Amino acid sequence: MTENFTFNLKATSGKARLGEITMPRGTIRTPAFMPVGTVGTVKAMYLDQVQDGGADIILGNTYHLMLRPGPERVARLGGLHELIRWPGPILTDSGGFQVMSLSGLRKLDEQGVTFKSHVDGSLHHMSPERSIEIQGLLDSDIQMQLDECVALPNEPREIERAMELSLRWAERCRVAFGNQPGKAMFGIVQGGDQPALRIRSAEGLKQLDLKGYSIGGLAVGEPQAVMLDMLRITLPVLPTEKPRYLMGVGTPDDMLKSVAEGIDMFDCVMPTRSGRHGLAFTRRGKVNIRNARHAEDMRPLDEQSSCPATRDYSRAYLHHLVRSNEALGGMLLSWNNLSYYQELMQGIRQAIAEDRFEDFKAATIEMWARGDI
Ligand SMILES: C=CCOC(=O)Nc1nc2cc3[nH]c(NC)nc3cc2c(=O)[nH]1
């Protein structure tokens, strides 16, 4: 068992990287997909299934957990891992992004953000220091700086203002985080779709002795080409020996192309959220199980899968459950989708290990191009 946070780069295939993050609570194989466990649960899943399905780490959302059950209460209950019974590493966001997108934002200034809870309307203030304090109370293993993510497209002046503010907040978070050997704090590169601002943000964060770097401000409505361009600008500036985490991404296509640029970690609600709405991800593309054509299709989603939800249940039954809005429908499709995402990550890691990632990427995207099957 290691008492530190270390990242070991094991192989490369083009710019794609195979690595391992070792932490006291376990090892994270990269490239990694991190299921989103918003309010201390990966929705519609048992965490045993999430772990058995291949996830080494899950996400917890600071914004939700600070509102309910509250960070001090979680600490009194032994911390998030105890409460939700997840033994592995947990990455928590700083809350910044969700405050902007979910709450009645009241004010954002140098000190931090002031907002009204979407739960009960209570007023909250979150400074960079309070965000790190909350993540500490949650006993989070990988903590995020507080940042300001602006939507795209946007005025360059506005993107610059938010990027500079985020840099100042990164410094304050770094001071507040202090020295916690078995834990990590990641900075978040901002700068929107502006190359010069992306470079300045990455250069600024490199002064802070961080253990990893998130790429923020993307997957906020910009075309995929813009997102990939920003990765090509940003990643060469970042230290190769530290992990890179692309926030909120994405579809299998997004992840394959981002791994090809040098991304190591991903999180996205897509597999779980779309599973609850009847969309199944499979090796051969997406299946909208609500579609009438599945009503009497006795085939499972994929007879070759090792996931029971994928291998043992007919499309007809899944169709019936989803059409009837039965809980089991969302449960089985979430299970299927997370299993597919982890199977894809395993395939990516294997392809990098054998230096054939480019072929694997092309073949997987081509298989997907055939669309709904
Ligand atoms: C776990 C996340 C750590 O969150 C933070 O502390 N801040 C933060 N979160 C983001 C989340 C995003 N999701 C998407 N698309 C679905 N784009 C995102 C961009 C950001 C961002 O720029 N900052």
Side-chain angles (χ1 to χ4, degrees), residues 59 93-94 97 144 147 149 188 190 216-220 245 247-248:
L59 240 70
D93 69 323
S94 64
F97 185 77
M144 290 303 127
D147 64 329
C149 169
I188 302 178
Q190 291 293 351
L218 293 174
V220 288
Y245 160 31
M247 307 171 118

Side-chain angles (χ1 to χ4, degrees), residues 109-151:
D109 62 18
E110 191 65 35
Q111 274 323 304
V113 290
T114 303
F115 60 94
K116 280 179 73 171
S117 159
H118 75 285
V119 173
D120 61 11
S122 55
L123 209 54
H124 295 260
H125 177 73
M126 178 136 73
S127 64
E129 293 77 11
R130 176 62 177 157
S131 174
I132 294 296
E133 181 186 30
I134 290 172
Q135 296 177 72
L137 287 165
L138 300 176
D139 197 13
S140 165
D141 301 286
I142 302 180
Q143 304 177 19
M144 290 303 127
Q145 69 155 95
L146 183 65
D147 64 329
E148 185 190 353
C149 169
V150 294

Side-chain angles (χ1 to χ4, degrees), residues 158-174:
E158 179 60 5
I159 297 173
E160 182 172 27
R161 177 199 58 72
M163 182 277 283
E164 298 285 3
L165 176 66
S166 296
L167 263 185
R168 294 194 296 275
W169 281 358
E171 197 157 356
R172 287 170 56 185
C173 287
R174 182 69 192 84

